[in-house]
């Protein structure tokens, strides 16, 4: 039996992180903002079938960037977690923080123990009955969780996008302003994105049941003005 | 989740984010998921060893009825639940939305029936979320059929559940109705269906006034007459209770989705029907005296 070379754990972790980051950077980005009537999620996505944004539960949405098969598996696991929890206890007991923690556990576990880390970043967004109860949890490939306030940016060019969105973000925006500033942050300097290249969904605060709603092209165009 | 060396089935060790091997993945089925998690709902495991329960100890829901009309389907149910000769609940709900475009109404043993409704609603919602699109109306009707088939052993022990399923079929652009039996038999009806102890009376009334071209108002009035007659002749069916302000639940399902009528609206229509019946009786009396 051959002796493996010693590789310091710092190096192992760094290699894995670099690998995951590279994978994520290849995909397109995504952003979410809180606005007066709920939470708006917006992704650059020319496909109408391979979704980045989807519904988890009554007031919870999921968004993922990176490898489609990996975040889609996380999405389904989240739906299962939420539906089983709501069935076992009550619909009121399904909360985004527990879900984000579960995601963090799973992704952290895979990052350190499996052959290959996940090349994804995900966002768990939840709309409260009041604006101050809105929640956004950003979970990274290594299982680290950030509690985002006001807006969140995921994906390859997240840093520059974050700067652009931070500049235009204001508390209490309406849907149109929220979408406009998100789209211009996604598009970047001197670029534009049309409705066909966007996937947009809203968690509508006023809704009593399932708050998740996708916006059709026409609706996106109207909001973009 | 990416590599192959994980336990084939979900276990507590894999935390509570249910994730499966491709070979044991339950797909979009919520019942299948519960089965994989060891939480499936079954009465038959123990029911077979127990003596059939006394009917007076089990709460029963009574009359539900559904019919087609021009814009879709209408579905209605009284509010009474009985245990033997006693009224056990006066405000029971027997008509429920199954999802946005369909509704389910239940008659029979209330406990298993309500559990079936809860599971059916979740089954449809779970499928829709996992797959990204809702089941077809046909698919939904078949799902309910399977749930009833699984429930058959419990039904043989006396816990009979007989639901009605109605919805708007968006592919075909019209309302559709389904009746069931305890074995999971699924029967599509073209015009109307009824289930429960007072269904015989309700059915007769609906039969006389039923047109698939009825307007929504006509359809609502027909349901109200049917339920009133059922309550008039069947002791287990609850009539309008103006003293407590309890009225049957009436819901319409059209291209716009499932919507329950306002209780105040149902109350007003009941009053109209009642005074009409009252006038008829008075006229008959006067006629007899002359």
């Amino acid at each position: 039996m051959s002796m493996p070379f010693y590789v310091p754990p710092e190096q192992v972790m760094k290699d894995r992180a670099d690998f995951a980051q590279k994978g994520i950077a290849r995909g397109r980005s995504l952003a979410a903002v809180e606005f007066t009537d709920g939470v708006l999620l917006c992704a650059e996505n020319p496909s109408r079938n391979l979704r980045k944004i989807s519904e988890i539960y009554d007031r919870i949405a999921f968004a993922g960037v990176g490898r489609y098969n990996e975040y889609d598996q996380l999405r389904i696991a989240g739906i299962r977690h939420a539906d089983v929890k709501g069935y076992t206890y009550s619909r009121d007991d399904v909360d985004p923080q527990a879900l984000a923690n579960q995601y963090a556990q799973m992704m952290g576990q895979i990052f350190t123990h499996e052959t290959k880390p996940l090349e994804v970043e995900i966002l768990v967004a939840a709309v409260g009955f009041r604006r101050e109860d809105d929640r956004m949890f950003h979970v990274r490939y290594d299982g680290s969780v950030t509690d985002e306030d006001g807006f969140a940016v995921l994906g390859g060019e997240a840093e520059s996008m974050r700067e652009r969105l931070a500049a235009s973000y204001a508390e209490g925006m309406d849907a149109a302003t929220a979408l406009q500033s998100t789209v211009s942050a996604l598009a970047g300097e001197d670029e534009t994105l049309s409705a066909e290249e966007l996937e947009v969904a809203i968690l509508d605060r006023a809704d009593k049941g399932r708050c998740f709603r996708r916006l059709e092209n026409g609706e996106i165009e109207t909001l973009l003005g | 989740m990416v590599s192959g060396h994980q336990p084939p089935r979900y276990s507590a060790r894999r935390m509570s984010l249910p994730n499966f091997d491709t070979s044991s993945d339950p797909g979009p089925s919520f019942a299948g998921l519960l089965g994989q998690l060891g939480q499936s709902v079954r009465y038959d495991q123990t029911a077979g060893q127990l003596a059939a329960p006394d009917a007076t100890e089990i709460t029963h829901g009574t009359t539900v009825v559904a019919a087609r009309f021009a814009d879709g389907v209408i579905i209605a149910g009284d509010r009474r639940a009985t245990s033997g000769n006693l009224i056990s609940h006066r405000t029971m709900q027997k008509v429920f939305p199954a999802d946005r475009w369909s509704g389910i109404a239940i008659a029979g043993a209330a406990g298993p029936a309500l559990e079936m409704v809860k599971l059916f609603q979740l089954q449809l919602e779970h499928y829709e979320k996992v797959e990204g699109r809702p089941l077809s109306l046909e698919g939904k009707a078949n799902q309910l059929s399977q749930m009833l088939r699984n429930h058959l052993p419990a039904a043989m022990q006396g816990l009979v559940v007989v639901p009605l399923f109605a919805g708007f079929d968006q592919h075909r652009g019209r309302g559709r109705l389904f009746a069931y039996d305890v074995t999971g038999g699924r029967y599509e009806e073209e015009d109307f269906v009824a289930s429960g102890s007072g269904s015989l009376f309700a059915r007769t009334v609906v039969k006389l006034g039923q047109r698939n071209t009825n307007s929504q108002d006509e359809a609502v009035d027909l349901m109200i007459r049917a339920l009133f007659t059922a309550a008039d002749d069947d002791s287990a069916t609850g009539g309008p209770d103006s003293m407590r302000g309890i009225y049957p639940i009436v819901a319409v399902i059209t291209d716009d989705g499932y919507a329950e009528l306002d209780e105040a609206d149902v109350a007003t229509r009941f009053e109209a029907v009642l005074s009409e019946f009252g006038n008829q009786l008075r006229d008959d009396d006067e006629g007899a005296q002359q």
Side-chain angles (χ1 to χ4, degrees):
Chain A
M1 197 182 129
S2 63
M3 281 288 286
F5 287 109
Y6 173 75
V7 186
E10 292 88 345
Q11 188 61 44
V12 176
M13 291 301 136
K14 192 176 172 303
D15 286 353
R16 283 169 171 258
D18 286 347
F19 173 80
Q21 277 164 359
K22 259 187 226 160
I24 294 163
R26 273 196 290 270
R28 295 172 213 248
S29 309
L30 178 154
V33 286
E34 293 168 9
F35 69 106
T36 42
D37 303 327
V39 179
L40 180 136
L41 300 103
C42 178
E44 190 186 343
N45 185 4
S47 170
R48 282 280 151 263
N49 301 303
L50 307 177
R51 304 284 194 187
K52 288 174 188 283
I53 301 168
S54 41
E55 175 185 14
I56 292 274
Y57 210 64
D58 289 352
R59 307 189 80 82
I60 307 175
F62 171 97
V65 293
R67 276 177 79 108
Y68 175 77
N69 70 319
E70 293 182 351
Y71 66 73
D72 195 55
Q73 207 166 357
L74 291 171
R75 171 186 76 87
I76 293 173
I79 293 171
R80 287 175 176 161
H81 164 90
D83 279 351
V84 170
K85 197 171 177 189
Y87 172 73
T88 314
Y89 304 108
S90 105
R91 291 194 87 92
D92 298 340
D93 295 311
V94 179
D95 84 306
Q97 191 170 349
L99 179 64
N101 285 338
Q102 296 295 343
Y103 276 135
Q105 291 290 331
M106 185 168 170
M107 290 164 83
Q109 179 86 7
I110 291 168
F111 182 73
T112 43
H113 295 284
E114 304 279 345
T115 339
K116 169 189 118 38
L118 295 179
E119 296 161 71
V120 294
E121 268 182 57
I122 61 168
L123 183 76
V124 176
V127 66
F129 288 99
R130 296 172 307 169
R131 219 162 81 200
E132 52 269 35
D133 296 331
D134 291 349
R135 294 280 178 274
M136 284 200 276
F137 298 99
H138 181 169
V139 190
R140 290 185 176 74
Y141 55 87
D142 60 353
S144 59
V145 193
T146 330
D147 180 3
E148 305 273 7
D149 190 24
F151 64 92
V153 179
L154 287 77
E157 297 150 38
E159 272 321 303
S160 53
M161 273 177 54
R162 188 185 310 280
E163 279 167 25
R164 286 196 292 270
L165 194 50
S168 61
Y169 174 79
E171 238 178 81
M173 292 189 289
D174 62 8
T177 332
L179 183 63
Q180 284 157 16
S181 58
T182 315
V183 171
S184 60
L186 277 177
E189 308 285 325
D190 311 321
E191 299 279 332
T192 51
L193 287 168
S194 69
E196 287 79 37
E197 299 166 281
L198 293 169
E199 179 185 348
V200 186
I202 278 177
L203 284 170
D204 189 346
R205 192 189 314 287
D207 208 306
K208 292 282 181 290
R210 290 162 67 184
C211 302
F212 183 87
R213 186 167 67 84
R214 291 187 191 283
L215 301 193
E216 305 298 331
N217 279 353
E219 221 173 336
I220 299 174
E221 276 159 13
T222 317
L223 287 178
L224 284 177
Chain B
M1 65 182 282
V2 260
S3 70
H5 50 82
Q6 54 180 329
R9 305 187 85 208
Y10 170 85
S11 70
R13 198 173 66 74
R14 289 301 290 184
M15 298 145 293
S16 63
L17 206 52
N19 194 35
F20 305 89
D21 241 9
T22 41
S23 58
S24 57
D25 195 296
S29 165
F30 185 72
L33 173 63
L34 287 182
Q36 287 283 28
L37 300 181
Q39 286 193 31
S40 57
V41 194
R42 281 192 178 276
Y43 294 86
D44 58 341
Q45 282 159 0
T46 47
Q49 296 142 28
L50 301 172
D54 185 348
T56 58
E57 289 167 6
I58 296 173
T59 304
H60 278 85
T62 45
T63 310
V64 289
V65 56
R68 273 180 67 192
F69 68 101
D71 304 331
V73 282
I74 186 162
I75 184 163
D78 77 309
R79 307 288 293 275
R80 181 173 290 179
T82 56
S83 306
N85 64 316
L86 300 177
I87 295 173
S88 43
H89 303 284
R90 293 177 199 280
T91 56
M92 192 182 142
Q93 187 181 354
K94 301 174 196 174
V95 177
F96 300 86
D99 68 353
R100 225 189 120 187
W101 283 286
S102 63
I104 176 171
I106 46 147
L114 294 176
E115 180 64 28
M116 194 177 284
V117 169
K118 188 178 166 191
L119 209 55
F120 183 56
Q121 289 170 328
L122 264 169
Q123 180 82 335
L124 302 189
E125 180 189 334
H126 191 72
Y127 181 98
E128 184 183 327
K129 289 193 291 194
V130 170
E131 294 287 291
R133 70 187 49 137
L135 268 169
S136 66
L137 193 72
E138 191 95 17
K140 292 172 200 169
N142 285 338
Q143 275 293 318
L144 188 56
S145 190
Q146 281 171 28
M147 293 177 72
L148 276 163
R149 199 154 60 233
N150 290 337
H151 184 73
L152 181 62
M156 299 301 280
Q157 290 291 309
L159 302 174
V160 172
V161 178
V162 190
L164 300 179
F165 178 64
F168 192 84
D169 189 330
Q170 296 199 293
H171 299 305
R172 291 173 176 78
R174 66 177 177 90
R176 293 174 73 186
L177 296 167
F178 298 89
Y180 294 86
D181 64 22
V182 288
T183 65
R186 193 205 85 172
Y187 312 95
E188 180 163 8
E189 296 293 341
E190 277 305 308
D191 36 19
F192 63 91
V193 284
S195 176
S197 62
S199 61
L200 186 65
F201 308 108
R203 197 192 304 266
T204 311
V205 175
V206 177
K207 193 175 184 176
L208 294 171
Q210 171 61 22
R211 303 276 178 283
N212 288 350
T213 51
N214 274 350
S215 70
Q216 181 169 322
D217 278 345
E218 287 167 334
V220 172
D221 277 342
L222 190 59
M223 291 293 110
I224 281 173
R225 280 165 201 279
L227 285 176
F228 176 79
T229 310
D232 207 26
D233 287 329
D234 171 37
S235 63
T237 302
D241 188 341
S242 55
M243 187 173 73
R244 297 185 183 82
I246 304 166
Y247 294 91
I249 294 176
V250 183
V252 290
I253 307 163
T254 62
D255 200 15
D256 296 331
Y258 176 101
E260 270 172 30
L261 259 68
D262 257 3
E263 201 162 36
D265 189 14
V266 178
T268 325
R269 284 159 180 277
F270 254 113
E271 271 162 33
V273 171
L274 284 179
S275 67
E276 190 186 315
F277 275 116
N279 288 340
Q280 263 174 26
L281 289 178
R282 239 185 334 274
D283 290 350
D284 287 352
D285 270 359
E286 283 166 13
Q289 280 161 11
Q290 277 166 9

